[in-house]
Amino acid sequence: MREELVKKYADPDYTIDLSNIGSSVKSCTKDIVRSTVHTDLPISKVVKNDPESSPITINLGSLISDSPNVDDFDDVLNQRNIAIVQAPSKSSKQYQFNLIDTPGLNDTRGKDEKHIASIYKASRYAECIHLVLLAIGNGPFSPGFQAAIKCYFDMFPEFHGIVAFVHTHFDYKNFHPGREEAFSHHIVKKGTLNDMMRRDTCHHLEIDCDVKSTRPIRIGITQNIIRRILSLAPFNQPVTMKRVLILKSPKMRVIDNILVDKLKAILDAQRKAVDFKDGAQGAVLRKLYEMETHLNSLRSEEYELEEYIKEHDTDDLVMIYESRFDESWRALHLKKDHCMDFQNQEHIIRKKDILRENVEISKEQGGEGHNYWNIVYKRHRYEDGSLHVKLYTTRSSIYSKQISERRSRLAQLRSDRQEIEREHSQYSSNHQSEQADIRKLVELNALYTGLISRLSRERLPSEVFQQLIDANAYASENSEIVEKVYRGIKFQETVKKYADPNYVINPNNIGGSVSCTKNVIHSTVHTSLPIAKTIQDSSGSTTINLGSLINNSPDVDDFEDVLDKKDIKTDLVPSPGSPEQYQFNLIDTPGLNDTRGRDEEHIGSIYKALREAGYIHLVLITTRKSAFTPSFRAAIKYYFDMFPEFHGTVAFVHTHFDYKDLHPKRDTVFSDFTKKKDTLNEMMGETLARIFEIDCDIKSTKPVRIGITQNIIRKILSLAPFNQPVTMNRTLVLKSPRMKDIDNVLIDRYKAILDAQRATLDSKDGTYGNTLRKLYEMETRLNSLRSEERDLEEYVKEYDTDDLVMIYESKFDESWRFFQFNEDHRMEFPCQEHIINKKNVFSENVEISKEQGGEGHSYWSIVYKRHSYDDGILYAKLYTTRSSTYSNQISECKSRLVQLNSDLLKAEQERSQYSYERRPEMVDIRKLVEENILYTRLISRLLNERLSPEMFQQLIDAKAYTRSSPDNTKIVDRVYRDILQNDEAELLERPAV
């Protein structure tokens, strides 16, 4: 509802969709709906039907002042002999408002727990939230609603300062002083909401949701209230979603405590098992176990302290003062000075935000850079006056004392840990056999101690919370799901370790022979893509390069010794040119065909996560040592036939790869791997697939192996900014064979219905039957022409765009195996009919000596060579516009559209002339004609092999093609009918008679 009214305010020509309007009690929104409006926040004014009159701002105070009687005021609200105009506001700044409409709190038919996941996910992808609007209906507050408000805003306390309540279905006549009883009831509701939020500065705005109203004054009041609502967004200090900490709800704490008790019981059982050992060996085991568990406890506490400092020692702004003045027409005779005062505090004011309307500030002291602030102000006469002030300081200032205490404790902890580590190292070296005996117990203790520490936290980082709601961890009371989530993220762990060398990898996040991922998991890393180098005290640093390492180690055993050396240092150093800091948003999904046969179940969540991301720069597929099964090959073909636009962004990462197998004398092993790479190229239908080998031994302490892994991760991540991103809301999805088979069953069914219609008409005799058949033929021809017209228009809309399409791709990847050859190479894109609109080139250890053509030309070529003793890489991609690639087809469609328009006009004139004298017969076939329109359009839709992102999302949300659904055709039929009803209503209208 709110979204529809905002659209109408931003664009007066917008037609409100009545199906989106809820009742005064229930929310109409079932799913997340996103939209965008642009407006400069104009003011609505009235103009009387008098050429000499000028526009007057619609102001409730003035209207009531001129109408002391309730009935007179009602007449003013309902007068029609005036017009409404939108006049520019004092600030002519153009704003873009990104709206996210979500299901209501506790009023969407008992599905709150399902909706909070989608609400939070939609909010998180918005990055920053400026305003949260809660629509309040006419009905009383139920206990469930009050509990929902408390639950949501206890969990998300950082949203408190940006919340506003919109009281809908409010009749403006209740503003009049003569309606004191009605308005006092409303005041009580506002007070109740303030009590729930534990704030008396909440914004409350009253709005009439009569979208059918034609009364100018009421419409103008509504538009100016919407203006006031939207004005709050640029005034508020936005909440940065990736920095939000979420407080656990009571239900979450109960489930987590169950899990904590379970893990503590396991640790107690461990301790008893160690205590059970007798004699000297038992004493040694107990001593070792005590040392290890003490170290685990210290490391866990150290991690928690570091996390606290990381979260709180920031320059993020925190509100330290808020005050509101809101004096309406009810005080129109009062015009006096008021004061706001923020007394001296220990915190310096870093930012001051003021939102005011019809208020004059006569004096101001202090403010930003000071620890005090005060103003004197007054309201304009006969105007609603509002003044809202917020003062902010940094988060580090608010928590300075706690941060200092934790830093002191951290320094002591590190000292204690280092002392115990020295003692442990000395003791364990003398008892290596006993150390081996308790290794498994120690590893489990480290795991469970870390899990208990995480579960005991009251606040969750947004990343962890996202993973928990993605897994529906708290939708039931199953603590096993929560435990799996806290254990779980895999290849991402290695990427995080590269981006942050201090990151501690969780070994339980690493999968085995099958994918460890059960649900879609989001995370973010920041890195400037540094290079791993070995550090020599005397000779500086050297990049860790496989070519050079192998060149200096002609024997396999020597090479393995180099890989396993421990007496050298490595470090990550900035790459040449000091590249910018990148933010990589990682989306980890269940594997292809290796998640225990649940691919069709996962495609919905995978696709939805990708769509919500907006753009995809890189798709990584991890594979392992085992051979590719027929089902894996089928899965690769299935996914990339459906999503052809992802081809240019795909890379394969072979994990658990031992780097010693890269040595030339390990040819037998490497040749098997080369065959796997050839198989992947064959599956992808190309020879340019980007394939990387990486060792995922996260426990490795061997510097050279770690450095090689880091540099390979760097090469992988470097592809993301190089690739042209896939825009998800413009990506067309090709139907799979199974989808086509199910759709063809429906097409045959619809054609049989149309054939039965024709047979019914053919059975009619005489002049009456001839007339019916003639009318039916005219109508079906019109339907067929309209359907073809719509399909052609959609084709032109989809393909006549400036979206970029890859027209050329080439790859040079010459490794250490050719380090003795250093010769010129050439890449060439010959003259074509398409102009190159964009050129992407990624190179490393390659020198380009000559370049011709490129962007703005229809050709491109380069001459280049690899640096000696270095792995050389050069990727090149050339792009043109989609409209250029499909120019012939677009031209043919447009020509056909011109002819179609002529044929349609002629057919409509013929039908109109013939049917005018045969109205009774036309009425008789109305139902047949309506069915013909429906089934013709359904057949046209089903024959289309490409699906829009919205349509595909609707189909997978409904599980239309999953094998677990009892009747796929029934679901597909329902979804397509809904699509036609919502998006193409004009094609389902009854024909004119």
Side-chain angles (χ1 to χ4, degrees), residues 354-394:
I354 296 181
L355 177 68
R356 64 189 173 110
E357 196 162 48
N358 301 323
V359 166
E360 177 186 344
I361 297 174
S362 58
K363 183 179 179 183
E364 181 174 10
Q365 292 180 315
E368 293 179 9
H370 300 82
N371 60 356
Y372 67 94
W373 174 83
N374 62 70
I375 58 169
V376 177
Y377 62 93
K378 61 183 174 182
R379 176 178 57 83
H380 297 172
R381 187 176 296 276
Y382 298 113
E383 300 268 7
D384 294 343
S386 63
L387 175 66
H388 196 165
V389 178
K390 295 180 180 180
L391 305 180
Y392 301 87
T393 191
T394 59

Short mmCIF file of all heavy atoms in Angstrom, two decimals, residues 354-394:
data_model
loop_
_atom_site.label_atom_id
_atom_site.label_comp_id
_atom_site.label_asym_id
_atom_site.label_seq_id
_atom_site.Cartn_x
_atom_site.Cartn_y
_atom_site.Cartn_z
N ILE A 354 19.63 18.07 11.55
CA ILE A 354 18.42 18.82 11.91
C ILE A 354 17.42 18.75 10.77
O ILE A 354 17.78 19.01 9.62
CB ILE A 354 18.74 20.30 12.23
CG1 ILE A 354 19.65 20.41 13.47
CG2 ILE A 354 17.46 21.10 12.44
CD1 ILE A 354 19.98 21.84 13.85
N LEU A 355 16.20 18.37 11.07
CA LEU A 355 15.10 18.38 10.12
C LEU A 355 14.04 19.32 10.67
O LEU A 355 13.52 19.11 11.77
CB LEU A 355 14.52 16.97 9.96
CG LEU A 355 13.31 16.86 9.03
CD1 LEU A 355 13.72 17.11 7.58
CD2 LEU A 355 12.68 15.46 9.15
N ARG A 356 13.72 20.38 9.93
CA ARG A 356 12.74 21.34 10.44
C ARG A 356 11.83 21.81 9.33
O ARG A 356 12.20 21.83 8.16
CB ARG A 356 13.42 22.52 11.11
CG ARG A 356 14.27 23.39 10.21
CD ARG A 356 15.06 24.40 11.02
NE ARG A 356 16.01 25.15 10.21
CZ ARG A 356 15.89 26.43 9.92
NH1 ARG A 356 14.83 27.10 10.33
NH2 ARG A 356 16.81 27.05 9.20
N GLU A 357 10.64 22.20 9.73
CA GLU A 357 9.66 22.74 8.81
C GLU A 357 8.80 23.75 9.56
O GLU A 357 8.25 23.44 10.63
CB GLU A 357 8.80 21.62 8.21
CG GLU A 357 8.04 22.04 6.98
CD GLU A 357 7.57 20.83 6.18
OE1 GLU A 357 7.01 19.90 6.79
OE2 GLU A 357 7.77 20.81 4.96
N ASN A 358 8.73 24.97 9.02
CA ASN A 358 7.94 26.05 9.61
C ASN A 358 8.42 26.40 11.02
O ASN A 358 7.63 26.70 11.91
CB ASN A 358 6.44 25.69 9.64
CG ASN A 358 5.90 25.42 8.26
OD1 ASN A 358 6.30 26.07 7.29
ND2 ASN A 358 5.01 24.44 8.15
N VAL A 359 9.72 26.32 11.24
CA VAL A 359 10.34 26.66 12.52
C VAL A 359 11.53 27.58 12.26
O VAL A 359 12.33 27.32 11.35
CB VAL A 359 10.79 25.39 13.28
CG1 VAL A 359 11.71 25.75 14.42
CG2 VAL A 359 9.58 24.63 13.81
N GLU A 360 11.65 28.61 13.04
CA GLU A 360 12.75 29.56 12.91
C GLU A 360 13.70 29.44 14.10
O GLU A 360 13.26 29.50 15.25
CB GLU A 360 12.19 30.99 12.84
CG GLU A 360 13.25 32.07 12.78
CD GLU A 360 12.65 33.46 12.87
OE1 GLU A 360 11.42 33.59 12.67
OE2 GLU A 360 13.40 34.41 13.15
N ILE A 361 14.99 29.20 13.82
CA ILE A 361 16.01 29.11 14.88
C ILE A 361 16.64 30.49 15.05
O ILE A 361 17.23 31.04 14.12
CB ILE A 361 17.07 28.06 14.53
CG1 ILE A 361 16.43 26.66 14.43
CG2 ILE A 361 18.19 28.05 15.57
CD1 ILE A 361 17.38 25.58 13.96
N SER A 362 16.52 31.05 16.25
CA SER A 362 17.03 32.41 16.50
C SER A 362 18.41 32.40 17.16
O SER A 362 19.14 33.39 17.09
CB SER A 362 16.05 33.18 17.38
OG SER A 362 15.83 32.50 18.62
N LYS A 363 18.82 31.28 17.77
CA LYS A 363 20.11 31.25 18.46
C LYS A 363 20.61 29.81 18.51
O LYS A 363 19.85 28.88 18.75
CB LYS A 363 19.95 31.80 19.89
CG LYS A 363 21.26 31.89 20.66
CD LYS A 363 21.01 32.46 22.06
CE LYS A 363 22.29 32.54 22.88
NZ LYS A 363 22.03 33.04 24.25
N GLU A 364 21.92 29.62 18.30
CA GLU A 364 22.52 28.28 18.35
C GLU A 364 23.92 28.38 18.91
O GLU A 364 24.69 29.28 18.54
CB GLU A 364 22.54 27.64 16.96
CG GLU A 364 23.12 26.23 16.96
CD GLU A 364 23.02 25.52 15.62
OE1 GLU A 364 22.65 26.19 14.62
OE2 GLU A 364 23.30 24.32 15.57
N GLN A 365 24.29 27.46 19.81
CA GLN A 365 25.63 27.40 20.39
C GLN A 365 26.13 25.96 20.37
O GLN A 365 25.35 25.02 20.52
CB GLN A 365 25.61 27.91 21.83
CG GLN A 365 25.32 29.40 21.97
CD GLN A 365 25.30 29.85 23.41
OE1 GLN A 365 24.70 29.19 24.26
NE2 GLN A 365 25.95 30.97 23.71
N GLY A 366 27.47 25.80 20.24
CA GLY A 366 28.08 24.46 20.27
C GLY A 366 27.78 23.69 19.00
O GLY A 366 27.55 24.25 17.93
N GLY A 367 27.83 22.37 19.11
CA GLY A 367 27.55 21.51 17.95
C GLY A 367 28.76 20.67 17.60
O GLY A 367 29.52 20.23 18.48
N GLU A 368 28.98 20.42 16.31
CA GLU A 368 30.05 19.54 15.86
C GLU A 368 31.42 20.07 16.31
O GLU A 368 31.72 21.24 16.17
CB GLU A 368 30.01 19.42 14.33
CG GLU A 368 28.76 18.69 13.84
CD GLU A 368 28.69 18.57 12.32
OE1 GLU A 368 29.68 18.90 11.66
OE2 GLU A 368 27.63 18.14 11.83
N GLY A 369 32.22 19.17 16.90
CA GLY A 369 33.52 19.53 17.44
C GLY A 369 33.48 19.96 18.88
O GLY A 369 34.52 20.19 19.49
N HIS A 370 32.27 20.08 19.46
CA HIS A 370 32.11 20.46 20.86
C HIS A 370 31.42 19.32 21.62
O HIS A 370 30.93 18.37 21.02
CB HIS A 370 31.26 21.74 20.99
CG HIS A 370 31.84 22.93 20.29
ND1 HIS A 370 31.68 23.14 18.94
CD2 HIS A 370 32.59 23.97 20.76
CE1 HIS A 370 32.31 24.26 18.59
NE2 HIS A 370 32.86 24.79 19.68
N ASN A 371 31.38 19.46 22.94
CA ASN A 371 30.67 18.44 23.74
C ASN A 371 29.38 19.02 24.32
O ASN A 371 28.87 18.53 25.32
CB ASN A 371 31.57 17.89 24.84
CG ASN A 371 32.04 18.97 25.80
OD1 ASN A 371 31.77 20.15 25.61
ND2 ASN A 371 32.78 18.55 26.82
N TYR A 372 28.86 20.07 23.69
CA TYR A 372 27.57 20.63 24.10
C TYR A 372 26.89 21.24 22.87
O TYR A 372 27.53 21.52 21.84
CB TYR A 372 27.75 21.69 25.18
CG TYR A 372 28.47 22.94 24.68
CD1 TYR A 372 27.76 24.05 24.23
CD2 TYR A 372 29.86 22.98 24.66
CE1 TYR A 372 28.41 25.18 23.75
CE2 TYR A 372 30.52 24.11 24.19
CZ TYR A 372 29.80 25.20 23.73
OH TYR A 372 30.45 26.31 23.26
N TRP A 373 25.59 21.48 23.01
CA TRP A 373 24.82 22.11 21.91
C TRP A 373 23.50 22.60 22.47
O TRP A 373 22.87 21.93 23.31
CB TRP A 373 24.56 21.09 20.81
CG TRP A 373 23.65 21.59 19.71
CD1 TRP A 373 24.00 22.34 18.64
CD2 TRP A 373 22.25 21.35 19.58
NE1 TRP A 373 22.91 22.59 17.85
CE2 TRP A 373 21.81 21.99 18.40
CE3 TRP A 373 21.32 20.65 20.35
CZ2 TRP A 373 20.49 21.96 17.99
CZ3 TRP A 373 20.00 20.62 19.93
CH2 TRP A 373 19.60 21.27 18.76
N ASN A 374 23.05 23.80 22.04
CA ASN A 374 21.71 24.27 22.40
C ASN A 374 21.21 25.27 21.36
O ASN A 374 22.00 25.92 20.67
CB ASN A 374 21.68 24.88 23.81
CG ASN A 374 22.57 26.10 23.93
OD1 ASN A 374 22.29 27.15 23.37
ND2 ASN A 374 23.68 25.93 24.67
N ILE A 375 19.88 25.34 21.24
CA ILE A 375 19.26 26.29 20.31
C ILE A 375 18.01 26.90 20.96
O ILE A 375 17.41 26.33 21.88
CB ILE A 375 18.83 25.64 18.98
CG1 ILE A 375 17.84 24.49 19.21
CG2 ILE A 375 20.01 25.21 18.16
CD1 ILE A 375 17.19 23.99 17.94
N VAL A 376 17.62 28.09 20.44
CA VAL A 376 16.35 28.73 20.77
C VAL A 376 15.59 28.86 19.46
O VAL A 376 16.15 29.30 18.45
CB VAL A 376 16.56 30.11 21.42
CG1 VAL A 376 15.21 30.78 21.69
CG2 VAL A 376 17.37 29.98 22.71
N TYR A 377 14.31 28.51 19.46
CA TYR A 377 13.54 28.48 18.21
C TYR A 377 12.07 28.76 18.50
O TYR A 377 11.61 28.70 19.65
CB TYR A 377 13.67 27.12 17.54
CG TYR A 377 13.14 25.98 18.37
CD1 TYR A 377 11.82 25.53 18.22
CD2 TYR A 377 13.93 25.36 19.34
CE1 TYR A 377 11.33 24.50 19.01
CE2 TYR A 377 13.45 24.34 20.13
CZ TYR A 377 12.14 23.91 19.96
OH TYR A 377 11.64 22.91 20.74
N LYS A 378 11.30 29.06 17.44
CA LYS A 378 9.85 29.20 17.57
C LYS A 378 9.18 28.81 16.26
O LYS A 378 9.79 28.84 15.19
CB LYS A 378 9.48 30.62 17.98
CG LYS A 378 9.89 31.71 17.00
CD LYS A 378 9.52 33.08 17.56
CE LYS A 378 10.07 34.22 16.67
NZ LYS A 378 9.75 35.55 17.25
N ARG A 379 7.88 28.49 16.38
CA ARG A 379 7.10 28.02 15.23
C ARG A 379 6.48 29.21 14.50
O ARG A 379 6.12 30.21 15.10
CB ARG A 379 5.99 27.08 15.73
CG ARG A 379 5.03 26.59 14.66
CD ARG A 379 3.99 25.64 15.24
NE ARG A 379 3.24 26.25 16.33
CZ ARG A 379 2.19 27.05 16.15
NH1 ARG A 379 1.79 27.37 14.94
NH2 ARG A 379 1.55 27.55 17.19
N HIS A 380 6.34 29.07 13.17
CA HIS A 380 5.63 30.08 12.38
C HIS A 380 4.14 30.06 12.75
O HIS A 380 3.58 28.99 13.05
CB HIS A 380 5.77 29.80 10.87
CG HIS A 380 7.19 29.89 10.40
ND1 HIS A 380 7.56 29.52 9.14
CD2 HIS A 380 8.34 30.30 11.02
CE1 HIS A 380 8.86 29.70 8.99
NE2 HIS A 380 9.35 30.16 10.12
N ARG A 381 3.49 31.18 12.68
CA ARG A 381 2.06 31.27 13.02
C ARG A 381 1.21 30.52 11.98
O ARG A 381 1.48 30.57 10.79
CB ARG A 381 1.64 32.74 13.10
CG ARG A 381 0.23 32.95 13.62
CD ARG A 381 -0.07 34.43 13.75
NE ARG A 381 0.78 35.09 14.73
CZ ARG A 381 0.50 35.09 16.04
NH1 ARG A 381 -0.58 34.48 16.50
NH2 ARG A 381 1.30 35.70 16.89
N TYR A 382 0.16 29.86 12.48
CA TYR A 382 -0.83 29.14 11.66
C TYR A 382 -0.18 28.07 10.76
O TYR A 382 -0.63 27.81 9.66
CB TYR A 382 -1.64 30.12 10.79
CG TYR A 382 -2.43 31.10 11.61
CD1 TYR A 382 -2.12 32.46 11.60
CD2 TYR A 382 -3.46 30.67 12.44
CE1 TYR A 382 -2.82 33.36 12.37
CE2 TYR A 382 -4.17 31.57 13.22
CZ TYR A 382 -3.86 32.92 13.19
OH TYR A 382 -4.54 33.80 13.95
N GLU A 383 0.91 27.52 11.19
CA GLU A 383 1.58 26.46 10.44
C GLU A 383 1.88 25.30 11.39
O GLU A 383 2.11 25.53 12.59
CB GLU A 383 2.92 26.96 9.85
CG GLU A 383 2.80 28.13 8.90
CD GLU A 383 2.67 27.70 7.46
OE1 GLU A 383 2.54 26.50 7.22
OE2 GLU A 383 2.72 28.58 6.58
N ASP A 384 1.86 24.08 10.86
CA ASP A 384 2.33 22.94 11.65
C ASP A 384 3.85 23.06 11.73
O ASP A 384 4.53 23.08 10.71
CB ASP A 384 1.96 21.62 10.97
CG ASP A 384 0.47 21.39 10.94
OD1 ASP A 384 -0.24 22.07 11.70
OD2 ASP A 384 0.01 20.53 10.16
N GLY A 385 4.37 23.14 12.94
CA GLY A 385 5.82 23.28 13.11
C GLY A 385 6.45 21.99 13.57
O GLY A 385 5.94 21.31 14.46
N SER A 386 7.57 21.61 12.96
CA SER A 386 8.28 20.40 13.38
C SER A 386 9.78 20.66 13.36
O SER A 386 10.30 21.34 12.48
CB SER A 386 7.94 19.22 12.47
OG SER A 386 8.36 19.45 11.15
N LEU A 387 10.45 20.13 14.37
CA LEU A 387 11.90 20.25 14.50
C LEU A 387 12.41 18.96 15.12
O LEU A 387 11.98 18.58 16.21
CB LEU A 387 12.26 21.45 15.37
CG LEU A 387 13.76 21.64 15.69
CD1 LEU A 387 14.53 21.96 14.42
CD2 LEU A 387 13.95 22.74 16.72
N HIS A 388 13.28 18.28 14.42
CA HIS A 388 13.83 17.01 14.90
C HIS A 388 15.35 17.12 14.84
O HIS A 388 15.92 17.45 13.80
CB HIS A 388 13.34 15.86 14.01
CG HIS A 388 13.52 14.52 14.63
ND1 HIS A 388 12.90 13.40 14.17
CD2 HIS A 388 14.28 14.10 15.68
CE1 HIS A 388 13.24 12.35 14.90
NE2 HIS A 388 14.09 12.76 15.82
N VAL A 389 16.01 16.83 15.96
CA VAL A 389 17.46 16.97 16.06
C VAL A 389 18.08 15.66 16.54
O VAL A 389 17.55 15.01 17.46
CB VAL A 389 17.84 18.11 17.05
CG1 VAL A 389 19.35 18.20 17.18
CG2 VAL A 389 17.26 19.42 16.58
N LYS A 390 19.20 15.28 15.90
CA LYS A 390 19.97 14.11 16.33
C LYS A 390 21.45 14.49 16.36
O LYS A 390 21.96 15.09 15.40
CB LYS A 390 19.76 12.93 15.37
CG LYS A 390 18.34 12.39 15.33
CD LYS A 390 18.24 11.22 14.36
CE LYS A 390 16.82 10.66 14.30
NZ LYS A 390 16.71 9.53 13.37
N LEU A 391 22.11 14.13 17.46
CA LEU A 391 23.54 14.37 17.61
C LEU A 391 24.26 13.02 17.70
O LEU A 391 23.76 12.08 18.34
CB LEU A 391 23.84 15.20 18.87
CG LEU A 391 23.11 16.55 18.99
CD1 LEU A 391 23.51 17.23 20.29
CD2 LEU A 391 23.40 17.44 17.80
N TYR A 392 25.43 12.93 17.07
CA TYR A 392 26.15 11.65 16.99
C TYR A 392 27.60 11.82 17.45
O TYR A 392 28.20 12.89 17.29
CB TYR A 392 26.17 11.13 15.56
CG TYR A 392 24.82 10.90 14.95
CD1 TYR A 392 24.14 11.92 14.30
CD2 TYR A 392 24.22 9.64 15.00
CE1 TYR A 392 22.89 11.71 13.74
CE2 TYR A 392 22.98 9.41 14.43
CZ TYR A 392 22.32 10.46 13.80
OH TYR A 392 21.09 10.23 13.23
N THR A 393 28.15 10.74 17.99
CA THR A 393 29.58 10.63 18.21
C THR A 393 30.03 9.28 17.65
O THR A 393 29.21 8.53 17.10
CB THR A 393 29.94 10.76 19.70
OG1 THR A 393 31.36 10.89 19.82
CG2 THR A 393 29.48 9.55 20.50
N THR A 394 31.31 8.95 17.75
CA THR A 394 31.79 7.68 17.20
C THR A 394 31.54 6.52 18.16
O THR A 394 31.46 6.72 19.39
CB THR A 394 33.29 7.75 16.89
OG1 THR A 394 33.99 8.05 18.09
CG2 THR A 394 33.57 8.83 15.85
#
